[in-house]
Amino acid sequence: MVAFWSGQFLPGPEYFTTPFSAQFQPGLYSTRSGLYGLALLTILATVFYVYHSRRRNAVFGPYQNLDAQNSAWDKIRQLSERSGVGIDIVLHDKDIANTDAIAFGFRGKRTILMGRGMLLLALRRPSNFLARVAHELGHFKNGDIKYAFLSRSLLQANLVLMTTIMVWLIVRPARVVLMQYYLFTSPKLGFPGADATLFFNLHGLRWAKYWVDQATGSLSITAPVFAFWALLLFLEYRSLLRTREILADARAAQWVSGDALLEALTGGKTPPRPSLKNRLLELFSAHPLLSQRVDVVLRPYKVLHPSLLRFLFLGYLFCLANYLIASINTLMRILNPRYEELLAQGNAIQAALSVLKFEQPLASLIYFIVLFAFAAVYMIVVATLLRSALTQKLSGRAHWAWFLTTIAQIFVFAIGNVLGDAFHPYSQTNQLRLARNVMLGQSVDGLFFNRIGLQDILDQASMSGILLGVAILFWLQVNFILRGSRAKTIKGWQWGALMVFSFLAVFQVWSAFWVMRSFPDYANPMLYIMATLQATLFLAIVLIVSWSMRGRHRGRDNMPGWLMAE
Amino acid sequence: MTSPSSQAYSILELQLGQALVATVAPEEIEFFDAIAAAPQQRSKKRDHELGFGVPAGEDIATISATLLVLCKPILNFIWDNAKDATGQLIKNITEQARQVLEKRLGDWFTSRFQKPTPVTIPPEKLDELIAKLESDAKTLGLDETTLSRLTTTLRSGFQR
């Protein structure tokens, strides 16, 4: 999102002040416009986020508060106490056939909105009712309200901005046309008072054609990019929701038993095997396939299992992050004149120091945001590999089976990354090239697709090698940790430390090889000694963290006590 | 859910249904109007963010819905076999008398069968009605306990 809006698409002030000299297409030259774009995005998303509850109340239609004397309230209250999740408001609609329930609202106004059918369900099938309520409480417990609605707010903010820009791209050339008539007519309330005769006398049809050409040209470049970006965001948003649903199921199964949840999910029937159509439609759905939900209730460790599709998506996301980091240098040159000056003098270290010293605070801030975004994407990939190792070990996979699966995952990730090279309509340079082609009346092919060569494919080798190295370390760690007797939940920071230092250990080794290969003149014994020492240090930290996660004694069960612990 | 007939219920059916639900399954009486108003509605799949996402399906099985279905055969049986206070079969009475009787039947249902019955059904015919109801109720999936309460209610009501 940062990559998308920072310096792209938003019309800058020059479009309003000097429309004839402004760039045809908003792009990299509008970096400052991009900054206010990010600010607008943040403000819009915050507003949508804060006010999400207002519209959620009526999502089922007319609603009312559940009578405090209703026996369903007592059941909810008891479950709420048992699970330690407070509920402040319970609403229900008027539809007797609606047995769904949704959760929303922040602490102090946590709300469950139910269909009226849920009240009937509470009487006829109390365990089914409780399983559904427990699922909603699970959403609160897992923090899904903030994750889901923050994502939704960002998506909504993006859509609003995109729509605004599309309207702007249509209005901009119309304004130029209207200016012609303004000179010849008396404006009324600020509007030109042109009539049909004047319109035709002053070459109105030609001006109309000018407007159509301008608007079509702008939209033909921008609209497909926006559509693609909106789809990408929407799919990722839905994917996040599906993950949270599975986690909420896992939590609910703890509180009301797996059997009760299964009964609520299936009604005692075997869920149908999903068809290809079901699987495709699932990509747009807020809920996973029923068969998958049932599978996770029966085998809770599968909550963490990442699909190959996830790796494909991550590969694509990683490619996007790479483009982001690739254009940061240009961005810094525009924002920070001193940075450009130092680079022109060939003083890259001083240029980097100027960023670190926050000599131009705004530029440095953006630099670190972009750097953080890139690191975050990389760590998401690493975390997914760890999840995969963990679930494979828990499901009793043999070493060779794990190895083949991991190779497949990294392969699919690399495919995603190459696909990103071939198909990235968010590329700034690509946008500028297309804008230039439109202006010169040249072909606008390559709007979505770019040529990729053998080198693009070979470039995946080093990244895949690093990921495989990290995955091997994870497999060793997971084998070690899961044999432990630990009962307490493993903290998030412990998992984080394990991931970061495992990655750094492998990356350190790879860096030494990279220097040796790319800059043989710099290679010297001290470099290798330092690289070895650092890699050893990182490995030692990994070992200590693994040891603390494992517990002192060797355990007997395959399923550790901490896995689904509170 | 056991789905009631798609056609709209007559006033008399609704009065009888309400009386039966109030007696046989009083916990459902607050939902009676909603169930009667939307007889064909099935719980549909919804895909709201952070919702449960799976409908309860047919297994919500309300007693009210089943009882509403049974109202029509009960009333038909009454019209075919019951006699009025004069001992005349009510299927043979005039339209005007029928309207009066309908009102009295409605009052009787509204009283939850507490008032004296405005019609009489011979014991053998009542047994026949109960047997038919038991058969229909089993087909509709009504459980034994509820069925027993239903037959007891009808027997005591018609013998009052």
Side-chain angles (χ1 to χ4, degrees), chain A residues 56 59-60 95-103 116 119-120 123-125 132 135-136 139 145 152 237-238 241 245 265 267 285-287 293, chain B residues 1 25 27-28 30-31 34-35 38 41-63 143 146:
Chain A
R56 298 300 288 169
V59 78
F60 289 158
D95 182 2
I96 197 71
N98 181 7
T99 50
D100 203 2
I102 59 168
R116 196 176 176 203
L119 303 180
L120 195 54
L123 293 171
R124 306 308 311 160
R125 292 181 174 268
R132 286 160 193 267
H135 174 93
E136 299 312 316
H139 281 310
I145 309 300
R152 182 191 164 104
Y237 166 60
R238 289 293 177 155
L241 288 180
E245 291 300 336
L265 285 169
S285 171
H287 291 84
R293 291 178 73 173
Chain B
M1 182 191 286
E27 71 277 9
E28 284 189 16
E30 65 173 301
F31 306 104
I35 293 170
Q41 273 192 22
R42 291 282 175 90
S43 192
K44 61 185 175 191
K45 188 179 188 307
R46 292 167 191 262
D47 196 31
H48 295 290
E49 294 100 328
L50 306 188
F52 189 71
V54 180
E58 294 182 5
D59 63 353
I60 192 168
T62 62
I63 295 172
D143 63 276
T146 313

Side-chain angles (χ1 to χ4, degrees), chain A residues 128-323:
Chain A
N128 192 322
F129 169 79
L130 284 176
R132 286 160 193 267
V133 174
H135 174 93
E136 299 312 316
L137 295 182
H139 281 310
F140 286 114
K141 184 80 173 181
N142 294 340
D144 296 348
I145 309 300
K146 55 176 179 282
Y147 295 131
F149 289 107
L150 190 60
S151 309
R152 182 191 164 104
S153 305
L154 282 169
L155 177 65
Q156 287 171 322
N158 267 284
L159 292 176
V160 168
L161 271 184
M162 286 173 179
T163 310
T164 309
I165 292 165
M166 301 273 270
V167 171
W168 161 246
L169 288 175
I170 294 169
V171 167
R172 188 173 61 92
R175 211 185 74 157
V176 176
V177 177
L178 288 176
M179 281 167 65
Q180 310 306 313
Y181 295 94
Y182 192 86
L183 298 172
F184 299 95
T185 58
S186 306
K188 290 170 186 166
L189 296 171
F191 292 97
D195 56 22
T197 315
L198 185 67
F199 178 77
F200 286 110
N201 284 343
L202 290 178
H203 306 289
L205 287 178
R206 286 189 184 179
W207 279 114
K209 187 172 182 305
Y210 164 83
W211 173 73
V212 170
D213 288 346
Q214 287 278 312
T216 313
S218 304
L219 290 179
S220 65
I221 295 176
T222 310
V225 179
F226 279 8
F228 170 79
W229 182 252
L231 182 70
L232 195 71
L233 279 180
F234 181 75
L235 291 179
E236 179 53 14
Y237 166 60
R238 289 293 177 155
S239 170
L240 172 91
L241 288 180
R242 290 196 296 275
T243 308
R244 307 315 298 182
E245 291 300 336
I246 286 199
L247 290 169
D249 278 346
R251 190 68 80 173
Q254 281 180 283
W255 292 331
V256 296
S257 85
D259 288 343
L261 187 65
L262 282 176
E263 204 271 332
L265 285 169
T266 65
K269 296 172 188 163
T270 308
R273 181 186 286 270
S275 63
L276 180 64
K277 185 184 166 193
N278 294 142
R279 288 183 189 281
L280 287 175
L281 289 178
E282 190 208 6
L283 293 174
F284 298 89
S285 171
H287 291 84
L289 291 167
L290 193 55
S291 55
Q292 192 189 351
R293 291 178 73 173
V294 169
D295 195 30
V296 170
V297 175
L298 295 171
R299 286 167 281 273
Y301 53 83
K302 286 203 170 184
V303 165
L304 297 170
H305 182 65
S307 66
L308 281 178
L309 200 62
R310 163 90 352 209
F311 279 96
L312 188 74
F313 177 77
L314 284 177
Y316 192 83
L317 191 69
F318 184 72
C319 184
L320 188 148
N322 261 321
Y323 278 105

Side-chain angles (χ1 to χ4, degrees), chain B residues 21-145:
Chain B
V21 171
T23 319
V24 174
E27 71 277 9
E28 284 189 16
I29 194 67
E30 65 173 301
F31 306 104
F32 180 82
D33 289 341
I35 293 170
Q40 281 300 84
Q41 273 192 22
R42 291 282 175 90
S43 192
K44 61 185 175 191
K45 188 179 188 307
R46 292 167 191 262
D47 196 31
H48 295 290
E49 294 100 328
L50 306 188
F52 189 71
V54 180
E58 294 182 5
D59 63 353
I60 192 168
T62 62
I63 295 172
S64 312
T66 310
L67 293 179
L68 268 167
V69 174
L70 294 175
C71 285
K72 189 178 277 292
I74 294 174
L75 285 172
N76 286 342
F77 194 90
I78 291 174
W79 290 124
D80 288 343
N81 299 288
K83 293 174 182 173
D84 63 10
T86 63
Q88 187 186 4
L89 274 172
I90 60 175
K91 64 181 175 185
N92 298 329
I93 62 177
T94 62
E95 183 59 31
Q96 196 177 8
R98 183 185 170 99
Q99 284 175 4
V100 173
L101 189 62
E102 268 185 8
K103 188 176 179 315
R104 291 179 62 197
L105 274 172
D107 290 343
W108 181 51
F109 296 150
T110 310
S111 76
R112 310 281 193 260
F113 312 110
Q114 295 304 309
K115 287 183 179 175
T117 172
V119 293
T120 54
I121 294 180
E124 68 279 5
K125 287 289 179 188
L126 191 56
D127 289 341
E128 196 182 316
L129 171 65
I130 298 297
K132 186 175 184 316
L133 277 183
E134 283 176 346
S135 164
D136 289 351
K138 278 178 186 165
T139 314
L140 292 170
L142 200 66
D143 63 276
E144 287 291 335
T145 318

Side-chain angles (χ1 to χ4, degrees), chain A residues 378-392:
Chain A
Y378 210 113
M379 277 302 121
I380 288 172
V381 179
V382 170
T384 311
L385 281 174
L386 177 60
R387 279 168 49 184
S388 172
L390 202 57
T391 47
Q392 290 190 66

Side-chain angles (χ1 to χ4, degrees), chain A residues 348-365:
Chain A
I349 298 291
Q350 281 298 326
L353 275 175
S354 79
V355 175
L356 285 174
K357 286 178 183 171
F358 275 74
E359 284 180 2
Q360 167 55 269
L362 189 61
S364 295
L365 185 68

Side-chain angles (χ1 to χ4, degrees), chain A residues 439-452:
Chain A
M439 289 299 284
L440 297 175
Q442 295 172 345
S443 160
V444 287
D445 65 328
L447 183 60
F448 277 96
F449 297 99
N450 307 286
R451 286 192 189 89
I452 53 163

